[in-house]
Amino acid sequence: MTVDAKDFKQAMRQCAGAVALVTVGAEHGKRTGLTVTSACSLSDNPPSLIVCVNHNASAHGRIREEGAFAINFLHEDHALLALTFSGQKGVNGDDRFAFGQWTRGETGAPVLTDAVAAFDCVLAHEFETKTHSIFVGEVRGVSHAATATPLVYLRSSFHTPHEIRETVTVGDLDSRHLSWTDFS
């Protein structure tokens, strides 16, 4: 059985994802990047992340050439920056970096200074699929802003998470006594 691509995309729109900018390019004029919800941690030994990048994205070939990239997770005030890096504002390549505050990471990749979390990575591995590459980045630098509210993408719109009930944390003794009915 083959799943219809339209149905697959519609189902994926129901899954919230953290919004991040994948950025690459040590030299001004050669920088580029894209907006993704396909970045996540892989391991803490060594600290590494994965990101899926479409073969058609301008950053795809540049990540291979540079051997380094940054993943910058956005906060609630970065919605326009996310749209800019998605190509929806008609701004391309290095011109996208006119927006936001940027610095260079240890690898030379552009790092957003006020990101919720930013990871400066060297390309450690690459896996090919029909339309995308899965890039594994080993982290060489990290920064984070613990008080920033993350930006998430859900149902074709940007949102910010909010607490819908009292926070439950891993290891919280009281959370062990919660039943599934408490969540409905």
Side-chain angles (χ1 to χ4, degrees), residues 98-146:
F99 305 91
Q101 299 296 315
W102 299 94
T103 189
R104 286 176 53 150
E106 183 179 318
T107 67
V111 174
L112 187 63
T113 59
D114 64 341
V116 168
F119 301 89
D120 185 25
C121 303
V122 294
L123 180 60
H125 302 284
E126 177 183 349
F127 303 95
E128 289 294 317
T129 71
K130 185 175 182 179
T131 60
H132 289 67
S133 290
I134 303 166
F135 293 119
V136 176
E138 285 188 11
V139 179
R140 295 295 186 256
V142 63
S143 62
H144 60 89

Side-chain angles (χ1 to χ4, degrees), residues 60-73:
H60 185 274
R62 297 289 297 128
I63 290 170
R64 284 179 170 166
E65 290 170 23
E66 294 273 336
F69 59 94
I71 300 176
N72 306 274
F73 287 92

Side-chain angles (χ1 to χ4, degrees), residues 27-51:
E27 295 179 42
H28 285 275
K30 293 187 175 184
R31 299 175 299 177
T32 193
L34 71 152
T35 304
V36 302
T37 56
S38 62
C40 66
S41 67
L42 175 62
S43 176
D44 65 353
N45 186 19
S48 52
L49 293 95
I50 61 171
V51 64

